[in-house]
Amino acid sequence: DTAVSQTPKYLVTQMGNDKSIKCEQNLGHDTMYWYKQDSKKFLKIMFSYNNKELIINETVPNRFSPKSPDKAHLNLHINSLELGDSAVYFCASSQAGTGGHEQYFGPGTRLTVT
Amino acid sequence: DAKTTQPPSMDCAEGRAANLPCNHSTISGNEYVYWYRQIHSQGPQYIIHGLKNNETNEMASLIITEDRKSSTLILPHATLRDTAVYYCIVRVVVTLGKSTFGDGTTLTVKP
């Protein structure tokens, strides 16, 4: 079974559209993250949720809104998509109770905005 | 979080040990050293972490200098599947801290 899964794997859409990316982890972890990796392969955190509560919110446009319906899911909704949003988005999870040292990453969602 | 410096690329012969260096001269006493890798088009994969002592697991060994200003990740017997970008990250608390990866080292294992 996949530990951290994301859907869709590829997403091609036009500017101005609204889209969502879903993430699910079956590891029983209490913390989940969203990262963005741009064309230069630089990986940067966007959000982090612990027990469904937002604990990290980096300087991300408010067009990006994460939602965590439960500890196993962290979805990312993006409004009014722009060309600069094109990137690979990774979801990850970890367990704070054991130190949270090891983060498990999903396979990524490649978003292309045209 | 402390800044890290890694060489942009390294080569290693298959079957030989790969030694990947990382400088983190501004590391604080409560900051851990983490290593992750990213194989092409896949999500990053955790390798190992340490605070002061050297660490070893089934994937690799982590050697941290006594002053903690640098570290070396050792893959004892590199295989072609170890070809990836390796990231050295230094931060206080993984879960609740900011987690931004640097440029990393592209390791190419050659037959």
Side-chain angles (χ1 to χ4, degrees):
Chain A
D1 289 339
T2 303
V4 182
S5 60
Q6 296 178 229
T7 55
K9 188 172 178 59
Y10 299 96
L11 183 54
V12 180
T13 188
Q14 293 183 329
M15 287 175 53
N17 285 348
D18 302 337
K19 291 293 179 184
S20 292
I21 306 172
K22 295 184 177 181
C23 178
E24 177 181 2
Q25 54 95 4
N26 62 6
L27 299 166
H29 289 167
D30 59 6
T31 306
M32 297 184 71
Y33 312 79
W34 276 111
Y35 288 82
K36 178 181 180 181
Q37 188 168 43
D38 59 25
S39 58
K40 295 183 179 180
K41 303 299 183 182
F42 192 70
L43 192 65
K44 186 173 182 180
I45 192 169
M46 301 173 67
F47 301 103
S48 175
Y49 269 74
N50 179 258
N51 284 318
K52 300 195 302 176
E53 291 190 16
L54 182 65
I55 54 173
I56 294 175
N57 184 352
E58 287 299 291
T59 52
V60 177
N62 56 15
R63 298 181 295 105
F64 290 79
S65 54
K67 286 185 172 56
S68 182
D70 55 57
K71 288 197 307 181
H73 296 84
L74 180 62
N75 303 323
L76 183 65
H77 187 75
I78 314 171
N79 289 325
S80 303
L81 278 157
E82 301 177 356
L83 293 176
D85 296 333
S86 295
V88 180
Y89 292 83
F90 288 100
C91 176
S93 72
S94 67
Q95 180 60 33
T98 55
H101 295 290
E102 183 172 353
Q103 292 188 22
Y104 290 81
F105 283 78
T109 295
R110 182 173 295 277
L111 172 64
T112 303
V113 182
T114 63
Chain B
D1 293 341
K3 179 178 171 57
T4 62
T5 304
Q6 299 177 251
S9 64
M10 293 182 64
D11 290 343
C12 178
E14 188 178 17
R16 303 295 293 271
N19 296 278
L20 291 89
C22 180
N23 287 322
H24 30 79
S25 58
T26 60
I27 191 172
S28 299
N30 58 351
E31 287 183 312
Y32 288 80
V33 179
Y34 296 86
W35 283 85
Y36 280 76
R37 72 180 182 183
Q38 187 172 23
I39 298 172
H40 181 63
S41 297
Q42 297 181 19
Q45 177 188 22
Y46 166 85
I47 301 173
I48 199 167
H49 76 276
L51 182 61
K52 296 180 180 179
N53 300 322
N54 298 336
E55 302 288 344
T56 296
N57 62 19
E58 65 278 4
M59 288 183 67
S61 294
L62 173 61
I63 308 298
I64 303 174
T65 58
E66 192 169 343
D67 63 7
R68 304 210 321 125
K69 293 184 176 182
S70 65
S71 61
T72 301
L73 177 73
I74 301 173
L75 307 179
H77 305 287
T79 70
L80 299 179
R81 289 178 297 179
D82 291 323
T83 293
V85 179
Y86 287 77
Y87 296 98
C88 170
I89 306 155
V90 176
R91 58 181 174 230
V92 177
V93 177
V94 176
T95 303
L96 302 181
K98 299 177 182 179
S99 305
T100 297
F101 290 50
D103 291 338
T105 296
T106 298
L107 174 69
T108 303
V109 180
K110 298 183 176 180

